[in-house]
Amino acid sequence: MKETIVSGIRASGKLHIGNYLGALKQFVELQNEGNNCFFFIADLHALTTPFEPKELSQNTLEVAADYLAAGIDPKKSTFFLQSQVLEHTELAWIFNSLTSLGELNRMTQFKEKSDQHKEGINAGLLTYPTLMAADILLYKPTGVPVGDDQTQHVELTRNIARKFNNRFGKTFPEPKTYLRKPLRIMSLSDPTKKMSKTGDEALMLDDSPAEILRKLKKAPTATDAKQESPGVGNLFLILEHFADKKTFKSFSRQQEDNSIKYSELKNALAKLIADHFANFRKKKQQLLARPDQIQDILVQGGTKARKVAQATLIEVKTKIGLI
Ligand code: TRP
C-alpha cells in the first residue's frame, strides 16, 4: 500500500549525522519505496526563535542542499519551502481559530522553548503547532515521520482534524505518526546530551575526512573498556550504522575482552563516515555552487505542492462558510 507522507525539517542550520540517521535517511527510503512524499523546509517555523536574516537564508540553502545531496529527488518527491506555499499560513490561521489557548499552552515544546527564550517569547512560538497541523493536513497524508519530540504536535494535529471533521463534515484523515526509530546520537564532546548543531560536538554531513577524524579524536572514551562509558556507547551506536556486520562484531568483541584501542576504533569510524559521505560532499558542493538552481528546484516543488494545497484550502473555506 502506497502512503501519502508529509514531513519537514526546521531551517535552523545544516544537518549532522544525527539528523541524517534519524530523519533524512528514512525520508529517502520512503521516497524510493514509491510513496507519495511531500518534504519541505520549515523556514516559517524558524522565525519563532531568535534568527538573523542572512543566516536564515544561508541555512535554508544549506538544508535544501543537504536534502538533495542525500537523495531527495524532486522528480519523485514534492520538495519545497514552507514559506512559498501561502496556503500553509492561511490554513494555520483557520486552525488558530479552532484551537483553544489551553491546548497550545500545554504543549511541552512551547513550555521548554519559552523557558529557554524568556526574553522574547513571541506568539509564533505558541501557535507553532497550528502551523504544523496546517503543514500536514493540507496534503491529507496517511503518515507523518517525526522524531519523538514531535509526537505531541502530531497528536494535536489529529485532534484538530477530528474536531474539524465533526463540526464541518469529513475533510481530513487522522494521520498516524511514523515514529522514527528513537535514535539518540549523542554529542561527541558531552555524550550525556543529544547531538546538536553547534560546535565540535556534531559531525556535519559535509565535514571533510580530516575534520571528521579531528572531531572524533577529541571525543571522550574510557581508560578501561570495562568501565560504562556514554562516550564509548555513542561511538558504537554510530559505528553500528556505518560499519558492516563483521567490522562491528570485531570491535564489539575487542570491547568485551578489553583489548580495544579507542584510537583504532576512531580511525576506522572516521574512515567509514568519510567514505559514506564522499559522494554526498561532492554533490552538496556542486549544489551550493549554484544556489540559483536550488532556488529553481524549490520554486518548482512549491508549484507542485500548491496545486494540492489549494484544493484542500478551497474545500476548507467552502465548508466553514468563507465565500
Ligand atoms: N516541528 C518539526 C521539527 O521541529 C518540523 C516540522 C514543521 C514538521 N512542520 C512539520 C515535521 C510538519 C513534520 C510535519 O522537527
Side-chain angles (χ1 to χ4, degrees):
M1 254 287 277
K2 298 296 175 210
E3 309 258 2
T4 299
I5 304 286
V6 175
S7 199
I9 294 191
R10 262 167 61 115
S12 56
K14 59 181 176 176
L15 305 181
H16 54 66
I17 59 164
N19 301 131
Y20 172 77
L21 294 174
L24 201 45
K25 188 163 171 258
Q26 192 193 14
F27 292 178
V28 174
E29 283 162 10
L30 286 165
Q31 164 195 278
N32 291 341
E33 286 160 10
N35 297 295
N36 182 24
C37 295
F38 294 85
F39 296 124
F40 64 93
I41 300 171
D43 54 349
L44 293 173
H45 275 125
L47 307 181
T48 59
T49 45
F51 69 96
E52 287 300 327
K54 273 218 178 73
E55 282 171 24
L56 178 59
S57 51
Q58 187 54 37
N59 285 341
T60 303
L61 284 174
E62 289 266 2
V63 176
D66 280 335
Y67 264 88
L68 293 166
I72 294 297
D73 177 352
K75 287 196 207 75
K76 296 183 187 159
S77 294
T78 305
F79 174 55
F80 63 101
L81 269 185
Q82 184 185 35
S83 63
Q84 287 182 356
V85 181
L86 312 183
E87 285 74 10
H88 287 235
T89 39
E90 200 171 340
L91 186 59
W93 178 260
I94 294 171
F95 286 168
N96 276 342
S97 316
L98 298 173
T99 307
S100 72
L101 206 47
E103 280 174 292
L104 296 176
N105 270 321
R106 272 198 297 277
M107 291 286 120
T108 316
Q109 180 179 292
F110 174 67
K111 286 194 268 188
E112 278 174 13
K113 290 214 171 156
S114 42
D115 278 346
Q116 275 169 26
H117 302 277
K118 281 213 169 58
E119 297 297 288
I121 305 166
N122 59 57
L125 197 58
L126 180 70
T127 57
Y128 186 115
T130 46
L131 177 57
M132 183 158 159
D135 295 339
I136 295 170
L137 293 176
L138 276 174
Y139 305 98
K140 302 188 175 180
T142 44
V144 184
V146 287
D148 53 357
D149 60 331
Q150 295 297 315
T151 49
Q152 198 184 27
H153 289 159
V154 182
E155 185 68 49
L156 181 76
T157 301
R158 275 196 296 274
N159 289 341
I160 291 176
R162 195 175 314 128
K163 226 190 293 178
F164 190 98
N165 292 343
N166 286 340
R167 177 144 175 227
F168 304 108
K170 176 95 182 102
T171 308
F172 297 115
E174 289 177 33
K176 62 178 181 292
T177 309
Y178 258 53
L179 195 54
R180 298 190 307 241
K181 278 173 242 131
L183 179 70
R184 292 207 163 245
I185 302 287
M186 308 308 268
S187 155
L188 290 179
S189 52
D190 178 359
T192 60
K193 292 207 194 92
K194 212 171 144 179
M195 187 176 277
S196 81
K197 290 174 180 171
T198 44
D200 268 359
E201 54 176 70
L203 292 170
M204 311 316 286
L205 300 187
D206 59 357
D207 278 349
S208 68
E211 187 75 345
I212 297 170
L213 184 61
R214 188 185 66 77
K215 288 181 180 175
L216 281 174
K217 275 193 170 153
K218 288 200 336 202
T221 47
T223 39
D224 182 340
K226 288 265 178 298
Q227 212 178 309
E228 268 297 314
S229 153
V232 172
N234 194 37
L235 293 180
F236 269 91
L237 182 61
I238 302 173
L239 183 70
E240 197 177 351
H241 284 92
F242 292 103
D244 56 32
K245 284 216 172 71
K246 198 169 139 248
T247 312
F248 182 73
K249 273 205 187 124
S250 149
F251 277 113
S252 301
R253 216 173 299 121
Q254 293 173 38
Q255 169 74 7
E256 270 158 36
D257 68 19
N258 211 356
S259 67
I260 193 161
K261 287 207 179 64
Y262 290 120
S263 58
E264 279 172 20
L265 171 67
K266 288 174 171 182
N267 281 328
L269 189 53
K271 170 122 180 43
L272 286 165
I273 298 173
D275 288 351
H276 186 93
F277 291 107
N279 246 331
F280 173 95
R281 284 194 298 277
K282 218 187 295 157
K283 272 202 227 156
K284 185 172 178 189
Q285 221 172 25
Q286 286 165 355
L287 284 158
L288 283 179
R290 295 294 309 272
D292 53 319
Q293 281 182 358
I294 299 180
Q295 305 244 32
D296 280 351
I297 292 173
L298 291 169
V299 168
Q300 280 171 30
T303 308
K304 244 165 86 185
R306 281 196 88 173
K307 289 216 176 81
V308 182
Q310 251 163 9
T312 306
L313 191 65
I314 289 171
E315 186 186 351
V316 165
K317 287 169 92 170
T318 310
K319 284 187 172 153
I320 64 176
L322 294 169
I323 54 174

